[in-house]
Amino acid sequence: MKKINSVQSWLPYENILENGIIKLKDNSYVKILKVKPINYNLKSNLEKEAILNSYKIFFKTCNFNIQILIQSNKEDLSEHISNIEKINKNKKENIINLSKNYINYIQNLNKEKKSSSKKFFLILREFPENKKNINENNETLLCEKLKDNYFKVKECLYRCGNIVNETENFDEVKKILNSFFNTKIIFN
């Protein structure tokens, strides 16, 4: 009899806990943080220097496992285009032509991936001292350590001008994991 492998058998995570922390199959624990970045290019030279110094402090302070993930997706422009078309229903012909040209322009930009949205995540990971013997007490300690690390990251990146939010509930974590595994989203 042929054994059928399920999707769950190759996914790297075992469980999503109530606090949004993910238990992986290797008995390590992961916390996903969402980062809203600053636009560094719009800052003055003095501000840029202060930001870089804050990042240096961040990297010196955070002596734990951090992974940076940037997710880039093509924008869904359908709602924007629909709104433009609604506005132009009773307009003059030259405005309608301008709108059509604009719609073609943004659609071409989107096809060339020049209009994409970016989401920034930090992934914190903690490993148990004894991977084979995980009990509820160890799990609680690892979750507390991840929570402490989250507050360190939040404080340090706030000094850099970034906003950091934790993922705390099952549905939010599930949605983010789904977006990691389903990176090819096609918009019409």
Side-chain angles (χ1 to χ4, degrees):
M1 181 175 243
K2 188 175 182 179
K3 183 180 177 187
I4 298 174
N5 290 327
S6 67
V7 172
Q8 288 83 359
S9 67
W10 63 264
L11 288 174
Y13 63 93
E14 183 178 307
N15 191 17
I16 300 172
L17 307 177
E18 288 181 24
N19 53 10
I21 293 175
I22 304 164
K23 181 179 181 184
L24 300 180
K25 288 182 178 175
D26 68 354
N27 285 328
S28 63
Y29 291 79
V30 170
K31 181 149 190 71
I32 300 172
L33 309 179
K34 296 180 292 184
V35 180
K36 184 177 178 188
I38 58 167
N39 192 334
Y40 183 78
N41 293 328
L42 296 178
K43 302 296 181 183
S44 69
N45 287 337
L46 187 60
E47 289 172 315
K48 287 179 180 179
E49 189 175 326
I51 291 167
L52 289 175
N53 286 331
S54 295
Y55 275 115
K56 287 178 191 174
I57 293 168
F58 166 69
F59 286 117
K60 286 180 182 177
T61 304
C62 298
N63 56 350
F64 43 83
N65 291 303
I66 297 178
Q67 181 180 355
I68 300 170
L69 179 69
I70 302 170
Q71 192 176 58
S72 184
N73 295 313
K74 283 173 60 172
E75 285 292 327
D76 180 7
L77 301 174
S78 57
E79 188 177 331
H80 181 61
I81 291 170
S82 160
N83 288 336
I84 292 170
E85 290 170 342
K86 283 180 194 173
I87 291 171
N88 290 328
K89 285 210 174 183
N90 298 320
K91 300 286 180 179
K92 293 182 180 177
E93 189 176 331
N94 62 343
I95 298 209
I96 292 171
N97 287 334
L98 279 172
S99 295
K100 285 180 182 177
N101 288 338
Y102 172 69
I103 289 170
N104 287 334
Y105 172 73
I106 62 173
Q107 285 175 328
N108 287 334
L109 276 178
N110 205 32
K111 284 179 188 172
E112 297 171 9
K113 289 190 175 186
K114 291 185 179 176
S115 66
S116 63
S117 64
K118 292 188 179 1
K119 294 180 182 176
F120 298 85
F121 300 97
L122 289 178
I123 300 169
L124 308 178
R125 189 169 185 181
E126 283 297 328
F127 296 91
E129 290 178 22
N130 183 355
K131 288 186 180 183
K132 292 180 183 176
N133 188 18
I134 293 291
N135 58 37
E136 195 175 311
N137 201 25
N138 291 348
E139 186 173 280
T140 303
L141 289 172
L142 289 169
C143 290
E144 286 176 10
K145 199 169 183 183
L146 281 170
K147 191 81 166 170
D148 290 345
N149 291 347
Y150 157 68
F151 285 118
K152 279 184 189 176
V153 167
K154 184 176 182 171
E155 182 183 326
C156 288
L157 288 182
Y158 180 77
R159 288 187 204 134
C160 303
N162 300 290
I163 298 170
V164 178
N165 294 307
E166 63 182 321
T167 53
E168 292 184 286
N169 67 50
F170 179 85
D171 290 332
E172 188 177 15
V173 172
K174 189 174 159 185
K175 184 177 176 183
I176 291 170
L177 288 174
N178 189 37
S179 74
F180 290 168
F181 292 117
N182 296 310
T183 57
K184 291 194 177 192
I185 300 172
I186 300 170
F187 295 109
N188 294 331

